Amino acid sequence: MCSSRDWLKPKFWIGAAADMPPSATVNVVRYSALAGGILYGILHRRTINHKQAQEREHAELRKREGWVEQARKEYARQKLEREGGADSVISDPNNPAFDLEKLLLKYEATK
């Protein structure tokens, strides 16, 4: 009858070799490979996390630059409306300050 640990033994070993524990060299190679794999995994994870952090920072910077550009355009538009010079005729008919006469006069003057 087989003992409870017989299933752990490789079947291709013959005779006394099946009962011998692995040599010290085999154990050193096994644990060195294990340690190397763990270290590689840690370093690889740090690299990936670093790249993702840089991408998040870059996306945040682009978003903020977009806000700044939008604010600049809005400020320039408001500044033009406040100055109200001869060329600052509002051509948007949905704007409450729209004046058709001023618009027509402007178009006549440019001809």
Side-chain angles (χ1 to χ4, degrees):
M1 196 86 182
C2 294
S3 68
S4 62
R5 302 197 84 199
D6 281 346
W7 65 273
L8 290 172
K9 295 178 186 174
K11 303 297 183 211
F12 57 87
W13 286 353
I14 300 173
D19 296 330
M20 293 176 51
S23 68
T25 306
V26 171
N27 280 336
V28 167
V29 170
R30 283 182 186 170
Y31 288 107
S32 296
L34 177 65
I38 290 172
L39 289 175
Y40 171 78
I42 290 170
L43 291 175
H44 188 63
R45 181 176 176 210
R46 287 182 66 195
T47 303
I48 290 173
N49 287 344
H50 182 68
K51 285 181 182 179
Q52 288 176 346
Q54 283 181 335
E55 289 172 1
R56 281 191 301 267
E57 289 173 9
H58 189 63
E60 182 69 24
L61 182 64
R62 283 191 310 245
K63 185 167 77 171
R64 289 182 184 202
E65 286 174 349
W67 291 343
V68 168
E69 189 62 33
Q70 182 182 3
R72 283 183 184 155
K73 288 178 182 178
E74 183 66 23
Y75 175 74
R77 186 186 63 80
Q78 288 178 357
K79 186 176 178 185
L80 273 176
E81 287 178 3
R82 271 187 267 129
E83 287 176 354
D87 284 347
S88 65
V89 176
I90 298 172
S91 61
D92 181 18
N94 294 327
N95 192 334
F98 175 70
D99 188 7
L100 184 60
E101 282 185 53
K102 287 182 182 178
L103 183 64
L104 292 175
L105 290 173
K106 177 185 172 191
Y107 286 140
E108 275 184 19
T110 57
K111 285 184 179 183

